[in-house]
Amino acid sequence: MNLNKMTSSLIPEPATPAGGSAKNVLANDVHIKGTIRFANELIFDGKIEGEIISEGALVIGKNAEIRGEVKTKSVTVHGAVIGNITVTERVELKASSQLTGDLKATRIIIEEGATFVGKSEVTANKTAPQRSEPPSGNTLPGSSPSGGNAEARKQPAVA
């Protein structure tokens, strides 16, 4: 019996991007106690008590249960996370997701129906330039950019 033929029809071949890296998949029958580290992309649908650390993208499946910290570049959550999520780019909480913990990212997307209990912090995008003063031409009502007398510019009231 050729198992390769049987499994090849059930599981599609992973797409290999131009960089030569493939997606890693850990299915819902995987139970881990400890740390998961990966380089590029991981689809995780199992259970873990520990942490997930990566400079890559993480997809947490609908059946996933994570008890611990998640520290990655980006994460899309469909399942349950009890712990903090810290990402350098974006986090997406899908409608089926449940997060009990704090969230820190440069971009946060929360779909209607997602459960989120915790604090969120949107951090500054490191590539965006920081402004130290307001753009020229923007002044408060009743003030002038040159610091002149605002009373002198008032229009007479019409009766």
Side-chain angles (χ1 to χ4, degrees), residues 89-156:
E89 290 184 5
R90 88 183 227 157
V91 64
E92 194 169 348
L93 300 179
K94 296 295 193 177
S96 60
S97 68
Q98 298 175 1
L99 170 60
T100 304
D102 296 341
L103 189 56
K104 185 175 181 180
T106 55
R107 289 183 295 165
I108 299 174
I109 297 130
I110 302 176
E111 286 186 358
E112 184 176 356
T115 302
F116 173 38
V117 179
K119 296 183 299 185
S120 65
E121 180 181 339
V122 179
T123 58
N125 189 346
K126 293 179 183 173
T127 59
Q130 298 292 322
R131 291 188 182 180
S132 59
E133 58 186 69
S136 62
N138 289 349
T139 58
L140 296 173
S143 67
S144 71
S146 61
N149 187 354
E151 290 295 321
R153 290 189 313 275
K154 281 191 177 177
Q155 299 294 325

Side-chain angles (χ1 to χ4, degrees), residues 36-41 52-57 71-74:
I36 296 175
R37 293 180 191 271
F38 63 96
N40 297 310
E41 188 170 355
I52 300 176
I53 300 171
S54 176
E55 293 295 319
K71 297 174 185 175
T72 63
K73 179 174 87 174
S74 67

